Amino acid sequence: MATTPQASMQLETIVLGAGCFWGVEKRFEAMPGVTDVQSGYAGGNGVEPSYRVITQQRNKFNPNNHAEVVRVTFQPELVSLETLLQRFYEMHDPTQRNRQGNDVGTQYRSAIFFQNEQQQKIAKQVTAQYQPLLTAAGYGEIQTQIQPLNQFFPAEDFHQDYIAKNPNGYCPDHATGVRFDSSNVTAAPAVDNSALLKGKHIVMIDAAEYCPYCEKFKANVSSKYQGKIPLHYRLASQLEGLTITTPTWATPTLLFIENGVEVFGVQGYMEPEVFYKALGLFSVGADSESYQVAFQSDTDRPFCKQYEIFKNTPDGIFVDAFSGAPLFDTRDRFNSGSGWLSFKKAIDGAVTTRTDYSHGMIRTEIVAAVSGIHLGHRFNDGPNGTTRYCINATVLEFVPR
């Protein structure tokens, strides 16, 4: 929902179908002059207007099925119907019949439901203006249905403001990229992907417009990531030269690439612990000792190879092997004789703790604050009864000072 209209406002409504109503609702809500957007159903005949019914297999290609639509309430003195319909066409692919991307069926059809002759006239004018622009860009005929609105049925509460209620999703984007006025639109610059053709890389498919899930991922994950596998941002149109198999219409989408070829991809926002687990699979594999320790809370063998390498390093910092975040300082290291790296303390803010009840014991587990990986345990058997951080070497990397 958008802002509450004042009684003095002159308001008008238009009902539009552009595929799944979740993303359409969000985009119209962001437009100046729009006071309210409500998801719902329209255009059906003899079909119950509910999500449960319109999504049934028997109605998937039923021409009498309802379409997923939004009812847009706006102030004509602030935003014209012509502008709204231009934005409507620009936010989806109207040349697809009964579908938008992977969403297939009559419920996803492109449609304009007019309420008077003036709305019908403007709808036809805008459609006629857009067709040659699409044709010039190599697209086919517009499939948008322009028909009178018989009745608008509000969708269930679950669907209203869906994206705001579901913070761990993605923003669907099926736009063609064809604009009515390209004079103030800057095309996505060409990007050199040659560096991504060698070695391992992570690519986040970003949104050309505002995407709350993309911004959330940047704030919670990528802004804190310092790992050795480079993380890049690309628009869906900037993947030339890469071999990608995951659909690229959802933002964010994370692509894990090796030598220019996608190994696997994940659509939608990823919480830090989910991202790092995927990164672990990509970087070291599920069968590796470091993965088992980091993500399955396993333990290094005492006096393991990595311990022998790290026990007498020069002055420096030990960092998280996955996030690259600093964890421990060599100046706090001491030899406990246990066969595991031991430290008097962690770097401030680098770790968190939680109670570990495994193996019939009660221990304090040490967890990396950024990635959430298991590091080891904290005991009270350090020098002169001080604290000892008992840390697995296989989940660390060393950086000289």
Side-chain angles (χ1 to χ4, degrees):
M1 301 292 177
T3 57
T4 302
Q6 301 175 7
S8 60
M9 291 181 181
Q10 290 186 346
L11 301 176
E12 188 176 340
T13 64
I14 187 70
V15 174
L16 305 168
C20 176
F21 44 30
W22 298 335
V24 179
E25 178 191 58
K26 177 187 72 71
R27 293 187 180 96
F28 275 118
E29 282 179 346
M31 289 189 66
V34 172
T35 62
D36 185 72
V37 185
Q38 186 176 26
S39 294
Y41 313 108
N45 182 20
V47 178
E48 178 186 322
S50 70
Y51 195 75
R52 179 185 64 83
V53 173
I54 72 167
T55 57
Q56 290 176 351
Q57 185 63 31
R58 63 188 175 91
N59 286 320
K60 185 171 185 177
F61 296 107
N62 180 2
N64 293 317
N65 196 16
H66 288 284
E68 291 190 23
V69 298
V70 294
R71 181 170 63 185
V72 182
T73 303
F74 61 100
Q75 297 175 260
E77 67 272 22
L78 297 181
V79 59
S80 67
L81 177 60
E82 180 181 15
T83 297
L84 286 174
L85 292 180
Q86 289 178 349
R87 185 71 185 93
F88 158 78
Y89 273 126
E90 290 173 350
M91 72 173 61
H92 76 298
D93 184 353
T95 68
Q96 294 189 340
R97 182 177 179 84
N98 295 328
R99 71 177 299 165
Q100 285 297 301
N102 290 342
D103 292 334
V104 179
T106 50
Q107 78 184 81
Y108 301 112
R109 64 187 181 271
S110 176
I112 300 172
F113 295 95
F114 60 84
Q115 298 172 72
N116 53 54
E117 291 184 2
Q118 182 64 12
Q119 285 190 346
Q120 181 186 26
K121 178 181 177 182
I122 294 174
K124 290 184 176 180
Q125 288 176 345
V126 173
T127 303
Q129 293 166 1
Y130 199 46
Q131 183 61 69
L133 301 178
L134 287 169
T135 302
Y139 287 89
E141 295 296 314
I142 291 175
Q143 302 296 315
T144 304
Q145 298 176 358
I146 301 176
Q147 59 190 79
L149 176 68
N150 291 326
Q151 188 173 357
F152 170 82
F153 301 93
E156 299 82 351
D157 288 344
F158 173 77
H159 296 293
Q160 308 300 336
D161 295 313
Y162 179 87
I163 287 180
K165 294 175 182 174
N166 294 269
N168 295 346
Y170 56 80
C171 294
D173 185 1
H174 302 295
T176 62
V178 177
R179 302 292 185 93
F180 277 87
D181 180 10
S182 59
S183 61
N184 60 354
V185 176
T186 302
V191 174
D192 182 5
N193 289 326
S194 58
L196 279 67
L197 301 179
K198 294 182 180 180
K200 293 184 177 183
H201 297 267
I202 309 165
V203 175
M204 189 198 101
I205 298 181
D206 205 351
E209 301 181 42
Y210 175 70
C211 167
Y213 300 117
C214 298
E215 298 308 310
K216 184 179 179 182
F217 182 83
K218 293 174 185 177
N220 294 347
V221 182
S222 58
S223 65
K224 304 172 185 177
Y225 176 68
Q226 306 172 59
K228 61 185 178 181
I229 298 179
L231 172 60
H232 313 265
Y233 300 101
R234 294 289 190 272
L235 300 179
S237 59
Q238 297 176 320
L239 301 174
E240 186 175 355
L242 305 177
T243 303
I244 306 300
T245 55
T246 297
T248 59
W249 50 264
T251 58
T253 291
L254 273 294
L255 303 173
F256 296 84
I257 296 171
E258 185 168 10
N259 298 327
V261 179
E262 178 191 329
V263 178
F264 63 90
V266 181
Q267 289 184 316
Y269 173 77
M270 302 173 75
E271 293 285 358
E273 59 269 24
V274 178
F275 167 77
Y276 283 108
K277 193 167 186 178
L279 175 61
L281 287 172
F282 178 58
S283 60
V284 298
D287 295 330
S288 67
E289 187 175 8
S290 59
Y291 183 90
Q292 293 296 318
V293 170
F295 303 103
Q296 304 296 333
S297 297
D298 205 344
T299 302
D300 288 347
R301 298 181 307 278
F303 303 100
C304 70
K305 179 180 179 181
Q306 199 75 352
Y307 165 79
E308 295 295 340
I309 294 172
F310 284 166
K311 69 178 182 179
N312 292 312
T313 62
D315 188 39
I317 300 292
F318 288 101
V319 302
D320 185 326
F322 300 96
S323 74
L327 295 174
F328 298 95
D329 195 311
T330 55
R331 295 171 186 177
D332 298 313
R333 178 181 56 189
F334 66 93
N335 184 4
S336 65
S338 64
W340 287 278
L341 292 176
S342 296
F343 301 89
K344 298 175 184 177
K345 63 178 181 177
I347 293 173
D348 289 346
V351 304
T352 60
T353 62
R354 61 192 178 200
T355 303
D356 178 8
Y357 297 99
S358 64
H359 305 294
M361 297 181 285
I362 301 178
R363 296 178 293 174
T364 299
E365 182 184 9
I366 305 300
V367 176
V370 171
S371 65
I373 67 169
H374 169 74
L375 297 173
H377 293 88
R378 188 180 67 194
F379 301 103
N380 294 320
D381 58 0
N384 300 316
T386 58
T387 299
R388 176 171 69 97
Y389 286 75
C390 182
I391 303 302
N392 294 289
T394 55
V395 295
L396 302 179
E397 290 186 351
F398 174 72
V399 179
R401 203 183 308 273

